[in-house]
Amino acid sequence: MIRINNIKLKIGYKNEDIEQAIRKSLRINSFLSYKMAKLSIDSRKKDQIHYVASVDVSCDQEEKILKKVHNNNIMLIKGTDFKIPEHGSMPMQYRPVIIGSGPAGLFAGLFLAREGYRPIILERGMAVDERTACVNGYWKKEHPLNPNCNVQFGEGGAGTFSDGKLNTVIKDKSGRRTAVLKTFVEFGADPSILYVNKPHIGTDVLLTVVKNIRNEIIRLGGEVRFEQLVTDIEVINPETTLLHIKKLLKPEETYELKSNAVILAIGHSARDTFEMLYKRGIPMEQKPFAMGLRIEHPRTFINEAQYGYHPDYEDLLPTADYKLVHQAANGRAVYSFCMCPGGYVVNASSESGRICVNGMSYSDRKADNSNSAIVVNVTPEDYPGDHPLAGMYFQRELEEKAYQAGKGAVPVQRFGDFRMNRMSEIAGKIKPCIKGAYTFSNLNCCLPEYIRDAIIDGVLSFDRVISGFADDDAILSGVEARTSSPIKILRDADLTSAHTCIYPCGEGAGYAGGITSAAVDGIKVFEAVMSKFMIPDASTGNQRM
């Protein structure tokens, strides 16, 4: 296959434009087929905005064509396909159990199911349809927060109520990242995620995708058990672990489950599970992360700042995003994180008496505002003590302050008032675009001084990149404390914890930072389990429900 890089395409291009560029680049009249490999927008010159594409072309006599064109942007390539490892030789008496149905858990479960391992997935939250109704009910104040089913817990994990962003900095020499994207497309995502520069699915589409993956796991012999909270884990021996599980359905009851491979895909917010694991002696350590606030601007303002003013760009170009970084005067790194073009700030709380926020976009990204977290690096030196869970306790402390500041709702503030350390009373020209109850407050009381100062310094600096970013009426909300896990659950070279059959996995365990990297880690753990164990036969144990 021939890869052609750096093809420039006009806004509103058609397939014929790509085909013409291929023929011109390769100096040929016809070819067999082509597919888009990469697509990004070059908006550095507002009066010359265009797409830049890489295209993979199949044609006859490819090596002969390359000798003729002499162009560094044209080359022969070989695809990197993910290779399933050989099955292991150790008998599997008890089926694999996966705790958590976020991207790490779902992908580990799907790939195990495809190879005949019939995994059991335990999810403390509800299936996606029931979960959506539960979350919307909480946002509308129809019922209190459900600590087991919310924006953090439930089918699909925290990513289900997000922008569904799939961009990642991980390399793909193994083909795992491509396998993740192809799997998302297989189960309902738009095929463009395979080649666009910053792929995203959107919350509305992601709801269907995760449901389709779950149904495929079940069709292949696996099980997905919802409203099942793992309350204890006992390591019987290096080959067997006993799980204590509470069924949260009414009436509540408990049962036990043995497994030869327990995959911990618990997510970054399963704080009660982290405490249980620590008491059980599972090795873990502190890990740095970042926290701060969300900032909102009008979607049209960000679009114009990035693209210039062109009335027809609303339909021809995707909603604009940004990525901003600054070194604050106090030495802290401050940067935009999880930017949601045309999206909503959401109440992402998972514990009573605490408030945290996140960003969420639907697939069309057409909400009135665009928002992003503006976060500051936090290191273990900032934590209150050297306990492995100290970072988690630090998160809780700031989330409690946010709850008090908002009196149970999301506290919001105009940026101008935040700078002056005075309470906001009403919105200015920018209205909050928030899922869940909110109230005007003073966010200064929610943050340590070094985070507050770095955010102000950063926003003022970002104003030099996007003029108007530091508008006094820009809306802040908080706190953004769940950027990643403040804990790493240690694992050995075989990906197990302390020579047990427990496999820490995904973002919660400290080995990922987003949907794609979590899914990739789920595939890595699948490989580790498969490489060790034989396919279990139909008589393999585990309690069925």
Side-chain angles (χ1 to χ4, degrees):
M1 186 165 298
I2 296 176
R3 166 75 54 85
I4 308 174
N5 291 321
N6 201 30
I7 295 177
K8 295 181 180 179
L9 298 168
K10 63 185 178 182
I11 302 304
Y13 70 88
K14 295 180 170 48
N15 289 340
E16 304 90 82
D17 299 318
I18 301 175
E19 293 167 5
Q20 182 179 350
I22 292 172
R23 287 191 288 268
K24 181 178 179 181
S25 298
L26 299 182
R27 302 178 192 173
I28 57 178
N29 294 321
S30 63
F31 50 89
L32 301 176
S33 64
Y34 78 90
K35 65 179 180 179
M36 194 76 78
K38 296 178 183 177
L39 185 69
S40 59
I41 297 173
D42 187 338
S43 60
R44 289 173 294 179
K45 295 180 179 179
K46 302 296 184 285
D47 59 343
Q48 298 178 30
I49 295 178
H50 59 277
Y51 284 99
V52 179
S54 294
V55 177
D56 292 340
V57 184
S58 294
C59 53
D60 295 325
Q61 298 181 314
E62 292 177 352
E63 292 186 4
K64 184 177 179 180
I65 290 172
L66 279 186
K67 290 179 181 179
K68 181 174 62 176
V69 295
H70 300 295
N71 187 329
N72 290 334
N73 285 316
I74 302 175
M75 63 202 73
L76 277 177
I77 63 161
K78 292 182 179 180
T80 304
D81 294 324
F82 172 66
K83 295 181 180 179
I84 301 292
E86 297 291 329
H87 293 275
S89 57
M90 182 177 290
M92 180 171 266
Q93 182 181 4
Y94 302 105
R95 292 157 62 191
V97 174
I98 301 166
I99 305 175
S101 69
L106 278 180
F107 273 77
L110 175 64
F111 278 67
L112 284 168
R114 283 174 165 171
E115 293 301 314
Y117 287 83
R118 298 182 295 120
I120 299 171
I121 299 179
L122 304 175
E123 169 57 57
R124 68 193 295 169
M126 300 176 185
V128 72
D129 290 337
E130 294 82 358
R131 180 189 183 192
T132 300
C134 181
V135 169
N136 284 329
Y138 170 59
W139 284 342
K140 295 175 182 177
K141 300 183 70 174
E142 295 173 353
H143 57 73
L145 175 73
N146 182 333
N148 291 303
C149 188
N150 44 62
V151 169
Q152 307 295 343
F153 302 135
E155 185 173 21
T160 300
F161 292 94
S162 70
D163 185 55
K165 281 184 287 294
L166 303 177
N167 48 300
T168 177
V169 296
I170 60 174
K171 304 298 181 184
D172 196 32
K173 293 181 180 179
S174 66
R176 296 187 191 101
R177 175 183 171 274
T178 301
V180 167
L181 297 181
K182 287 182 176 179
T183 301
F184 278 128
V185 171
E186 177 185 352
F187 290 100
D190 192 284
S192 65
I193 67 171
L194 296 174
Y195 57 81
V196 294
N197 183 41
K198 296 180 180 179
H200 85 106
I201 297 178
T203 290
D204 48 336
V205 177
L206 200 54
L207 299 174
T208 299
V209 171
V210 297
K211 188 193 305 185
N212 291 342
I213 293 175
R214 175 238 299 171
N215 289 335
E216 179 68 359
I217 291 170
I218 294 171
R219 187 187 72 79
L220 294 169
E223 298 178 51
V224 183
R225 304 179 184 178
F226 295 106
E227 298 185 79
Q228 314 281 306
L229 177 63
V230 176
T231 58
D232 198 8
I233 293 179
E234 293 183 59
V235 177
I236 298 176
N237 56 52
E239 287 78 39
T240 308
T241 294
L242 177 67
L243 304 177
H244 296 257
I245 302 155
K246 180 191 289 186
K247 296 170 65 176
L248 300 174
L249 302 167
K250 293 187 175 156
E252 290 186 349
E253 57 182 278
T254 61
Y255 66 100
E256 295 178 345
L257 196 62
K258 289 182 179 178
S259 178
N260 299 131
V262 175
I263 297 175
L264 285 177
I266 58 177
H268 59 36
S269 294
R271 293 167 173 171
D272 50 356
T273 306
F274 282 120
E275 290 176 322
M276 177 270 289
L277 294 171
Y278 174 75
K279 290 177 182 177
R280 277 297 184 183
I282 300 299
M284 56 184 72
E285 65 184 18
Q286 297 178 348
K287 177 179 148 303
F289 69 111
M291 64 166 55
L293 304 171
R294 283 260 152 193
I295 190 166
E296 295 182 71
H297 300 90
R299 171 175 55 85
T300 53
F301 162 73
I302 298 297
N303 281 355
E304 188 170 337
Q306 300 297 70
Y307 298 145
Y309 178 69
H310 300 274
D312 54 347
Y313 280 6
E314 176 74 12
D315 298 319
L316 294 177
L317 287 173
T319 304
D321 64 6
Y322 57 79
K323 185 176 182 180
L324 303 166
V325 182
H326 176 65
Q327 190 76 20
N330 63 5
R332 300 278 174 166
V334 53
Y335 54 95
S336 60
F337 173 81
C338 189
M339 195 269 160
C340 291
Y344 300 84
V345 174
V346 301
N347 184 332
S349 305
S350 61
E351 294 177 315
S352 298
R354 301 184 177 103
I355 288 285
C356 66
V357 296
N358 194 12
M360 182 186 86
S361 296
Y362 296 118
S363 56
D364 65 2
R365 290 179 161 178
K366 294 297 186 183
D368 290 342
N369 289 352
S370 291
N371 72 76
S372 176
I374 303 298
V375 294
V376 178
N377 70 302
V378 176
T379 69
E381 287 73 25
D382 300 309
Y383 300 163
D386 56 4
H387 192 285
L389 303 182
M392 184 184 83
Y393 299 139
F394 184 45
Q395 289 177 323
R396 278 178 165 169
E397 177 188 347
L398 300 195
E399 290 174 17
E400 287 169 6
K401 291 180 178 179
Y403 184 90
Q404 293 161 6
K407 299 177 182 178
V410 173
V412 302
Q413 189 175 18
R414 295 168 60 250
F415 176 66
D417 290 333
F418 182 70
R419 286 182 66 192
M420 300 301 295
N421 194 10
R422 66 190 176 205
M423 182 168 178
S424 290
E425 301 290 345
I426 59 173
K429 59 181 176 290
I430 303 173
K431 310 300 180 186
C433 204
I434 295 177
K435 295 281 189 178
Y438 66 87
T439 186
F440 285 94
S441 184
N442 188 345
L443 290 162
N444 284 271
C445 64
C446 304
L447 300 171
E449 186 175 338
Y450 65 86
I451 293 181
R452 172 195 178 274
D453 291 347
I455 288 174
I456 293 173
D457 194 350
V459 171
L460 294 176
S461 171
F462 301 155
D463 193 80
R464 295 192 288 271
V465 180
I466 300 176
S467 180
F469 195 89
D471 192 310
D472 282 350
D473 285 339
I475 294 292
L476 298 176
S477 57
V479 292
E480 176 94 11
R482 312 282 181 95
T483 57
S484 64
S485 179
I487 300 156
K488 174 175 277 190
I489 303 177
L490 304 181
R491 63 189 189 190
D492 300 323
D494 64 354
L495 305 192
T496 63
S497 170
H499 305 293
T500 65
C501 62
I502 296 173
Y503 293 80
C505 180
E507 187 167 345
Y511 297 96
I515 292 174
T516 302
S517 58
V520 165
D521 201 57
I523 294 176
K524 285 182 181 178
V525 169
F526 146 73
E527 294 175 69
V529 172
M530 181 175 165
S531 298
K532 181 176 181 180
F533 292 102
M534 299 168 58
I535 300 175
D537 60 36
S539 63
T540 299
N542 294 108
Q543 175 182 333
R544 285 188 171 271
M545 299 180 65

